[in-house]
Amino acid sequence: MLMRLSQEYFPLLIILFIKLKIIKTLEDFHKTRSAYGQISFIPTMGNLHNGHLSLFNTAKKLNKPIFSSIYINPLQFNNKNDFTKYPKSLDEDIELLESQDCECLFLPDESILENLEIIKAPSKADLLCGSHRPGHFDGVLTIVNKLFSIMKPSDAVFGLKDYQQYLLIKEFSQSRKLPINIIGSKTIRENNGLAMSSRNTLLSSDELQNASEIYKSLLFIKNNANNLCKDIIDEVRKSLYKKGFEVDYVSVINSITLQESLNHNNEEGYLVAAIAANIGTVRLIDNLFI
Ligand code: PAF
């Protein structure tokens, strides 16, 4: 009896214990990919944290095998130091991907940069983060386009913390008529409100506490939604400076045009409060829909 049961359940047991497929070469990837139909895709630069888990939770609802990639894309760093010190934790990342029932992890090497179509991001990319990181979104769109062409996903999930990135990828995908559903996944926060980010691991415990001021500032703007004016934005900027932040921007923008907009004026889209600020050498961004 026991023998029969174990024979019946043997294939099931194999499926349960099949490990995450980790693939490093394009050739191997194509072989693996051809065994699947539709897939959902979560591109990352590694150093995975609970914020990434929300991307997986979003993808799981789509009921398709989840493929992910880890590649620290040099094209999107305009500061060499920022690139070299970008946190890496591959072993932990793999454990986390296994726990999330991720089917396949693609770990491309530098050959992914060969025969690249360089994408020039539209003018929206020069606003907000783009104005402080020239060329950043060209680099993001270039690598995401390459990954899309390799993965051929039917859905791709991105974090809404990087709202400008999400919007640019969504519009890029629409402009190219790519058959990919671009999904934004909501920002996950620490208990003190700080948006989860791979860069948080670069902060000391005092800085981690202080970093929650960014979220508090966004809430302050949101709470003043009915009488937003330049003075309120200036007050927030000054208060962040006093608390030791080097502020790149504090803005209220339209969610579609990304242009500054302090009141809704019956425009299409929503108002979004957005902040980018540096603590020491660590650059943090966050936003809140108003
Ligand atoms: O958001 C990120 O982690 C990166 O910008 C992405 C989308 C993986 C492209 O390198």
Side-chain angles (χ1 to χ4, degrees), residues 144-145 148 169 172-182:
V144 167
N145 183 45
F148 280 175
I169 293 172
F172 170 77
S173 189
Q174 281 163 351
S175 71
R176 293 275 175 121
K177 299 195 168 47
L178 302 179
I180 305 173
N181 185 19
I182 306 294

Side-chain angles (χ1 to χ4, degrees), residues 42-46 52 69 71-73 76 86 136 139-141 143-144 147 158-159 162 165 169 198:
I42 302 178
T44 80
M45 298 207 296
H52 289 101
S69 62
Y71 180 63
I72 305 179
N73 170 26
Q76 69 189 75
Y86 196 83
H136 167 70
V140 170
L141 290 182
I143 206 72
V144 167
L147 287 167
F158 296 86
D162 300 298
Q165 166 173 284
I169 293 172
S198 302

